Amino acid sequence: MAKTLDRYFDDLRQTRVWRSIFRSGTGSSTLHRALVIQQNVFLHLFSTKVRTRLLGFSATWYLGSLTFGTFLILVATGIPLMFYYHPSVPQAYADTKDLQFVVSSGLFLRNLHRWSAHGMVFLVFAHMFKVFYRGAYRTPREFNWVIGVVLLLMTLLLSYTGYLLPWDQLAFWAITVGSNIASAVPLIGNKIHFLLLGGNAVNANALLRFYVLHCMILPLTAMLFVAIHFWRIRKDGGLYAHSTEPATVRAKAAEPSASGKTGGTWGTQAAPGAQGMAKEAR
Amino acid sequence: MADSKDFIAGVDSNAKKSPRRIVFITRRTSAQVKAETEDQIQTFPEVLFRAVVAIEVLAVALVWISLMFNAPLEGLADPSHTPNPAKAPWYFLGLQEILHYFPPVVAGVLVPGLVVMALIVIPYFKVNIEAEGLFLKDRAQRLRIFYLVTALLCIFLIAFHVIVALVPTLIIAALMILASQGSPQSSSGFRRYLAARPLSYWVMTWFLFELVVLTAVGTFFRGPGWSWVWPWQGS
Ligand code: HEM
């Protein structure tokens, strides 16, 4: 059964239409598999090969991929939510209520969007700390780390702007508390506050602004930065593995016998106590 | 030329995992050959497959959560009726907790601003790149600086009654003192581990600890007027 399915799929991949869409051609040779990545706009953000060691769960805990996963779920659930939602007062609240009680599966849709949003905030923090503790911000990855910080802020802003949209008491007061902080900025605080809300308090203008930011500006910007983030991983030489870094490779070559079997030490300067520190390398 | 074959050839092949590589090295101009070759695996299909499975597992978990628990929806927004306490989303409750102790310029602008700045500059500092055990060099002097900084921080926190943030600080400080007594030759693995921790590790771990504690306190232990309540007391 599985075999025949495979055959059908192979046949499909031979068709002119398929070949016209996917540039990589057919076959399962190594070359072809590399082409699948290289010849696709989206996949070419990734490198064609990954060090096997970094594929294991322990290397990254897949936290970056999972963060991306929540982002995909949020886009997929966010679009149908938009079909039922008007960003106006008090219609926004009525729409949210309808989603809860009238729209079929609306409750589920809203739940999934909400919990995935919380999940994304949690995962993005987890990913950041994991990257930090692996030391994966090292040269030449500095700037990808900075892009990561931008993505962290984007994630928080996305979640924060979305929080207002149901226009219930929870939303209203959370945004009121949060936006008041902007007023504390010296000199221009009140101006920023006004710019953010389109008024001196959270009102219909604020809802509209948050809606535009939440559904358009921020997701698009986040996508752009995620694309750069992924592309930089490839350009920076793939996922970080300490022992494959140029400095370490050089140090090892200079000192052939010392750390051969530990699979990498903490660095070129790990001379005293290399043994103890070797544990640190992941 | 005496020798008609003027080069040597080497083949490194594992067709399933990585493409076949053939090197030709001429005798006269030998190319530099990198010593390290790591096992690699192709992104398509193996890596993508794994990533997709990971995301699917996550999706199943989230769907399950969504079927079990409903997202909150309270009454219509009412500007004239302030709930007590009015809380920000959970990931900002750590911030709201500090806002309780410090003026808004400090807690709302300075602290988050500094945190973001600090995160951005991490990879641009050489100490963070080299990441040597904090107390392995200049031990005495570094200990003096450490005691000074910790003492000032603690006095500052006590002066503003931020007991909540003081506790994690003291725990991390205790671990750092333990680290300063260990060395790569210590017999206990834990000691060796601590001794090898660099400065960035301690700062980040302290930050993570504070983040978790402050967020948890803001979420579970704060009631009307931002007073301390126990989670089981209910409000
Ligand atoms: C929307 C948010 C983000 C997404 C979707 C994302 C996605 C990813 C993915 C899929 C990877 C591959 C390896 C892994 O899973 O760890 C990665 C690596 C990386 N991420 Fe992120 N990330 C995000 C946010 C961040 C943040 C907040 C930081 C740090 C401040 C960061 C810094 C990095 C760095 C430095 C790497 C390279 C690690 C290496 O070379 O081994 N990312 N990211």
Side-chain angles (χ1 to χ4, degrees):
Chain A
M1 179 65 191
K3 223 178 187 145
T4 47
L5 267 185
D6 269 359
R7 278 265 305 287
Y8 280 125
F9 190 58
D10 278 347
D11 290 347
L12 178 68
R13 293 203 299 178
Q14 304 284 358
T15 58
R16 265 189 76 184
V17 177
W18 181 282
R19 294 291 309 267
S20 73
I21 301 173
F22 298 100
R23 303 188 69 242
S24 54
T26 56
S28 56
S29 68
T30 312
L31 171 66
H32 168 253
R33 288 177 168 175
L35 287 177
V36 170
I37 302 295
Q38 281 171 13
Q39 302 290 323
N40 181 296
V41 206
F42 305 105
L43 294 181
H44 99 284
L45 293 172
F46 307 110
S47 49
T48 53
K49 286 178 290 167
V50 174
R51 284 186 275 273
T52 314
R53 185 153 56 95
L54 295 169
L55 197 57
F57 183 75
S58 59
T60 61
W61 294 359
Y62 282 70
L63 288 169
S65 310
L66 293 179
T67 313
F68 185 60
T70 50
F71 185 73
L72 292 181
I73 297 175
L74 285 163
V75 173
T77 51
I79 292 169
L81 282 174
M82 282 175 80
F83 291 151
Y84 295 100
Y85 179 88
H86 303 78
S88 58
V89 177
Q91 184 62 35
Y93 181 70
D95 288 342
T96 315
K97 266 246 138 76
D98 277 357
L99 277 164
Q100 298 281 98
F101 299 109
V102 182
V103 177
S104 70
S105 301
L107 180 62
F108 171 72
L109 210 58
R110 183 164 175 252
N111 288 350
L112 189 54
H113 196 74
R114 182 89 168 198
W115 300 135
S116 301
H118 287 322
M120 183 168 174
V121 173
F122 177 81
L123 285 168
V124 77
F125 272 110
H127 170 58
M128 180 180 83
F129 281 105
K130 178 71 188 168
V131 168
F132 173 82
Y133 283 120
R134 284 163 62 213
Y137 51 77
R138 287 193 170 77
T139 329
R141 293 170 183 76
E142 301 100 326
F143 194 65
N144 213 14
W145 169 269
V146 176
I147 292 170
V149 176
V150 173
L151 282 171
L152 171 75
L153 297 178
M154 299 288 246
T155 308
L156 291 177
L157 279 177
L158 268 166
S159 180
Y160 183 70
T161 49
Y163 213 81
L164 180 64
L165 302 187
W167 201 254
D168 62 343
Q169 276 289 73
L170 196 62
F172 183 87
W173 290 101
I175 302 311
T176 302
V177 170
S179 62
N180 280 342
I181 294 176
S183 317
V185 176
L187 301 177
I188 52 167
N190 286 329
K191 294 234 157 51
I192 297 178
H193 187 240
F194 193 94
L195 183 72
L196 193 69
L197 298 183
N200 286 319
V202 179
N203 54 22
N205 288 350
L207 181 62
L208 187 58
R209 284 188 188 200
F210 275 44
Y211 175 79
V212 172
L213 287 172
H214 184 77
C215 300
M216 270 284 294
I217 315 284
L218 290 171
L220 289 179
T221 327
M223 268 182 222
L224 184 69
F225 277 96
V226 167
I228 303 173
H229 194 59
F230 287 175
W231 175 79
R232 274 302 294 246
I233 296 173
R234 164 158 76 85
K235 286 296 183 183
D236 293 341
L239 291 185
Y240 177 81
H242 188 70
S243 63
T244 57
E245 296 304 292
T248 317
V249 173
R250 258 186 278 118
K252 265 197 189 165
E255 178 202 1
S257 60
S259 54
K261 67 169 188 288
T262 58
T265 60
W266 216 185
T268 50
Q269 68 289 356
Q275 246 57 345
M277 288 195 252
K279 278 215 163 134
E280 193 166 357
R282 303 200 174 128
Chain B
M1 293 241 166
D3 196 347
S4 61
K5 193 159 81 41
D6 197 25
F7 57 86
I8 50 168
V11 183
D12 168 27
S13 175
N14 182 344
K16 279 212 183 113
K17 288 182 176 159
S18 54
R20 177 181 298 256
R21 283 185 293 256
I22 303 177
V23 220
F24 293 96
I25 301 169
T26 59
R27 292 240 164 95
R28 282 162 307 186
T29 61
S30 69
Q32 173 145 22
V33 182
K34 213 167 132 194
E36 193 91 356
T37 53
E38 260 218 64
D39 224 10
Q40 292 187 322
I41 198 151
Q42 290 210 275
T43 306
F44 178 85
E46 186 78 357
V47 181
L48 289 181
F49 178 75
R50 292 220 191 184
V52 168
V53 168
I55 291 174
E56 276 170 0
V57 170
L58 174 81
V60 168
L62 284 169
V63 164
W64 182 78
I65 291 173
S66 304
L67 290 172
M68 300 301 290
F69 305 98
N70 285 338
L73 184 65
E74 297 184 354
L76 177 67
D78 180 1
S80 63
H81 179 254
T82 317
N84 192 1
K87 285 192 182 184
W90 63 268
Y91 40 84
F92 285 145
L93 288 182
L95 215 60
Q96 207 178 342
E97 175 70 19
I98 337 181
L99 215 57
H100 175 59
Y101 304 100
F102 303 103
V105 205
V106 177
V109 182
L110 204 62
V111 170
L114 286 178
V115 166
V116 171
M117 292 283 278
L119 284 176
I120 288 177
V121 300
I122 288 173
Y124 293 99
F125 276 93
K126 213 167 160 225
V127 270
N128 298 341
I129 303 297
E130 290 172 353
E132 291 173 88
L134 177 56
F135 296 108
L136 294 182
K137 253 203 250 163
D138 306 333
R139 187 167 169 278
Q141 196 199 345
R142 288 183 180 188
L143 260 180
R144 269 199 301 278
I145 299 175
F146 159 71
Y147 281 128
L148 187 70
V149 170
T150 311
L152 286 177
L153 186 63
C154 289
I155 291 171
F156 177 76
L157 291 177
I158 292 168
F160 283 88
H161 307 287
V162 201
I163 308 304
V164 171
L166 185 66
V167 177
T169 308
L170 290 178
I171 293 175
I172 296 290
L175 282 174
M176 288 178 77
I177 292 171
L178 206 61
S180 74
Q181 289 162 356
S183 79
Q185 282 81 39
S186 296
S187 54
S188 120
F190 181 59
R191 288 263 172 136
R192 261 177 289 152
Y193 174 83
L194 286 183
R197 297 303 98 186
L199 176 64
S200 58
Y201 172 92
W202 293 114
V203 177
M204 196 71 156
T205 306
W206 175 74
F207 170 64
L208 174 59
F209 201 1
E210 292 285 5
L211 195 67
V212 170
V213 167
L214 289 174
T215 306
V217 167
T219 310
F220 300 114
F221 296 88
R222 290 301 182 180
W226 214 251
S227 61
W228 186 275
V229 292
W230 297 102
W232 53 89
Q233 274 177 338
S235 52

